[in-house]
């Protein structure tokens, strides 16, 4: 009986260790904080698929979403390297609740293909042609 109990305890602690160890290094999607706009009550935040991108990543996948109090707004989205400016093409469109996922491929961003970079996904927001604010992701790390 003691041998059986010992095997069960070793198995339990081994499983607990593995689950703890693997969850510590798991990289999850990153959702930024809410950003106010000039429209009363309207807030927008930006989501990205990861917070850190390594050489195995092919793109930064991102979208913007509203708190439901904005109506339909236009956007221009791009990837910016901190301190250097825009490094991707601009993708644009309009949305009321959430943009479609925007894919920014590293193959189209030669300035961040090598080395360590701090970037953000940035959305400029417009209503009836007038700028109403901007929303950015949390800081993203690109280590290629």
């Amino acid at each position: 009986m003691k041998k059986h109990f010992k095997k069960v305890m070793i198995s339990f602690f081994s499983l607990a260790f593995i689950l703890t160890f693997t969850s510590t290094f798991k990289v999850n999607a990153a959702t930024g904080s809410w950003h106010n706009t000039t429209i009363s009550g309207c807030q927008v935040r930006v989501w990205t698929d990861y917070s850190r991108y390594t050489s195995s990543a092919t793109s930064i996948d991102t979208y913007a979403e509203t708190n439901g109090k904005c109506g339909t707004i236009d956007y221009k989205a791009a990837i910016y390297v901190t301190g250097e400016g825009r490094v991707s093409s601009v993708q644009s469109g309009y949305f009321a609740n959430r943009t479609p996922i925007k894919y920014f491929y590293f193959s189209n961003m030669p300035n961040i293909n090598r080395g360590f970079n701090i970037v953000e996904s940035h959305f400029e927001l417009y209503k009836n042609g007038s700028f109403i604010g901007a929303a950015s992701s949390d800081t993203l790390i690109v280590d290629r």
Side-chain angles (χ1 to χ4, degrees), residues 115-133:
F116 182 84
N117 299 274
I118 298 174
V119 306
E120 62 183 32
S121 172
H122 183 79
F123 284 74
E124 292 180 358
L125 308 167
Y126 300 86
K127 182 85 167 184
N128 300 322
S130 297
F131 180 77
I132 61 166

Side-chain angles (χ1 to χ4, degrees), residues 29-36 43-51 53 60-67 75-79 95 97-102 104 119-125 133-140:
T31 302
S33 58
W34 290 104
H35 297 268
N36 292 320
Q43 295 181 316
V44 177
R45 67 180 174 184
V46 176
W47 171 94
T48 57
D49 56 338
Y50 294 101
S51 59
Y53 297 86
I60 296 174
D61 305 346
T62 184
Y63 66 78
E65 64 182 342
T66 72
N67 61 351
Y75 68 89
K76 294 179 182 176
I79 302 300
F95 69 109
N97 295 311
R98 190 182 118 176
T99 69
I101 294 176
K102 301 290 146 190
F104 292 97
V119 306
E120 62 183 32
S121 172
H122 183 79
F123 284 74
E124 292 180 358
L125 308 167
S136 295
S137 66
D138 286 340
T139 298
L140 309 172

Side-chain angles (χ1 to χ4, degrees), residues 17-28:
F17 175 77
I18 290 169
L19 291 175
T20 302
F21 183 73
T22 57
S23 65
T24 302
F25 294 101
K26 188 175 182 180
V27 179
N28 293 321

Side-chain angles (χ1 to χ4, degrees), residues 46-111:
V46 176
W47 171 94
T48 57
D49 56 338
Y50 294 101
S51 59
R52 183 179 188 109
Y53 297 86
T54 62
S55 60
S56 63
T58 58
S59 66
I60 296 174
D61 305 346
T62 184
Y63 66 78
E65 64 182 342
T66 72
N67 61 351
K69 300 177 182 177
C70 303
T72 300
I73 54 179
D74 300 311
Y75 68 89
K76 294 179 182 176
I79 302 300
Y80 285 78
V81 171
T82 303
E84 294 183 28
R86 182 171 58 87
V87 293
S88 72
S89 60
V90 174
Q91 297 186 34
S92 60
Y94 61 91
F95 69 109
N97 295 311
R98 190 182 118 176
T99 69
I101 294 176
K102 301 290 146 190
Y103 301 95
F104 292 97
Y105 292 96
F106 291 112
S107 60
N108 296 329
M109 295 184 275
N111 293 345

